[in-house]
Amino acid sequence: MNRTPARNPLALLCTAVALLLLATACSSDPSDDDADGPDTPRPTATPSHSFPTTPKPSGPAAPSPSPSDSTKAKPWQPKPGTAWQWQLNGRVQDGPDVPVYDIDGFENTAADVAKLHSQGRKAICYINAGAWENFRPDKGDFPAAVQGENNGWEGERWLDIRQIDVLRPLMERRFDMCKQKGFDAVEPDLMDGYLNKTGFPLKAADQLAYNRMLSGIAHARGLAVGLKNDLQQIPELVPAFDFAVNEQCAQYDECALLTPFVKADKAVFHVEYELPTKDFCAESDKLGLSSMRKNLKLDVWRQPC
C-alpha cells in the first residue's frame, strides 16, 4: 500500500477551504442545469434489431445505418385480375401493353428490366427451382447427387429438394441475380416435384419445406414470389406467397382450387395451351383469374380473356 506524509492541521484547513471555493465556482456554470452531473445525453435502450450505440469518430459524419428488416417495404403484391405477359423464349420483346411481364431471369439483363420499368411495368424473374438445367451458367454448381430423373424437357433433371442445405445457397445466388437485375418478383418453376416421378422418394412435407424456403429467400431480398402450380398445397402456402402462376387448371377442371389466392387479394396468373379462350374465359372471369392462351414455346403471342 502507498503511504503519504502527514500534514499539519493549518495546512489541512487551508486546503479544505480552497477545495470548497473551487467546487462552488464549478457548480455555478450556467451550462449545467442538472443537479446530478454534466449535460451529456443519456443513451436510450437499443432494440435488439438495431445497431448498437457506439462512439462516433471525429471527422465526416458516419453514414446512417440501413433500415432494419421491420421497416423494409413489403414486397409487391399484384391484385386479382391484373393483366400480364409471359415470355420465356429468349430476351423480352416488345409485346402487349400490360402492367406485368414474366420473363427469363438468366436471358434478360438489368437494362431489359429497366426498360420495362420505364414503361410503367413490373418484372417477374423466371427461374427453375425444381430441376437442374444443363444450359444454365451455374449448371456445374449442382452436385450429381441432387440430380434425378429427366422431367420431360431436354437437358433437365428433377432436383432432390430434401437436400435443402445443398440447394439453398444455389437458389440464393439465383434470387440474388434477380434482385441485382432489378426484378420486382420471382417465379420459381417446378414447385410440385413430390407429385412426379423424380427418382427420389419425395413427400408432401418435403415440398412444403422447400417451397417455404424459397418464399423466405425471396422476401429476405424484398422480392415478391409466386407459387407455381402445386394446387394441393395452396391452403398451406397462400400466406407465404404473393401471387400464383398456373398452367392448364381449366383443362383439368382445377381452377376453383386457386380461389384462396383471390380471396387473399392476390393475383392468379393463369395460362392454357390447348383450350380455346371460349372454353375457359367465362369461368376465369368469374373466379377472378388473370387468364390467357399461350403457345407452349412461350413466345410473344398471347390471346387474353
Side-chain angles (χ1 to χ4, degrees), residues 289-303:
L289 311 185
S290 302
S291 301
M292 60 183 173
R293 186 178 180 186
K294 294 283 294 184
N295 294 321
L296 265 176
K297 60 183 178 181
L298 294 174
D299 55 9
V300 177
W301 183 86
R302 72 193 279 275
Q303 188 177 17

Side-chain angles (χ1 to χ4, degrees), residues 28-96:
S28 65
D29 186 348
S31 65
D32 182 12
D33 54 5
D34 294 334
D36 59 350
D39 288 335
T40 302
R42 295 183 179 182
T44 57
T46 304
S48 60
H49 60 268
S50 301
F51 291 86
T53 302
T54 55
K56 293 183 178 180
S58 59
S64 300
S66 302
S68 65
D69 290 340
S70 62
T71 62
K72 286 181 180 177
K74 291 184 178 180
W76 166 61
Q77 183 178 300
K79 301 292 184 182
T82 301
W84 70 307
Q85 165 68 319
W86 199 21
Q87 189 217 310
L88 303 184
N89 187 357
R91 290 180 65 178
V92 64
Q93 301 175 41
D94 292 335

Side-chain angles (χ1 to χ4, degrees), residues 6 10 30 55 64 79 85 87 105 113 115 121 123-124 134 166 187 193 200-201 216 227 232 236 258 266 292 304-305:
L10 181 58
S64 300
K79 301 292 184 182
Q85 165 68 319
Q87 189 217 310
V113 176
K115 182 178 179 180
R121 295 169 177 147
I124 300 175
N134 69 3
V166 176
E187 181 214 332
F200 306 109
L227 179 66
Q232 288 80 355
E236 291 90 348
L258 291 151
K266 300 175 180 180
M292 60 183 173
C305 289

Side-chain angles (χ1 to χ4, degrees), residues 229 231-232 246-257 270-275 279-280 283 296:
N229 297 324
L231 295 167
Q232 288 80 355
N246 176 265
E247 297 169 292
Q248 300 175 280
C249 70
Q251 182 170 339
Y252 297 105
D253 196 23
E254 298 173 328
C255 290
L257 296 175
H270 160 235
V271 297
E272 293 292 330
Y273 301 115
E274 300 178 18
L275 296 180
D279 287 352
F280 65 87
E283 182 189 20
L296 265 176

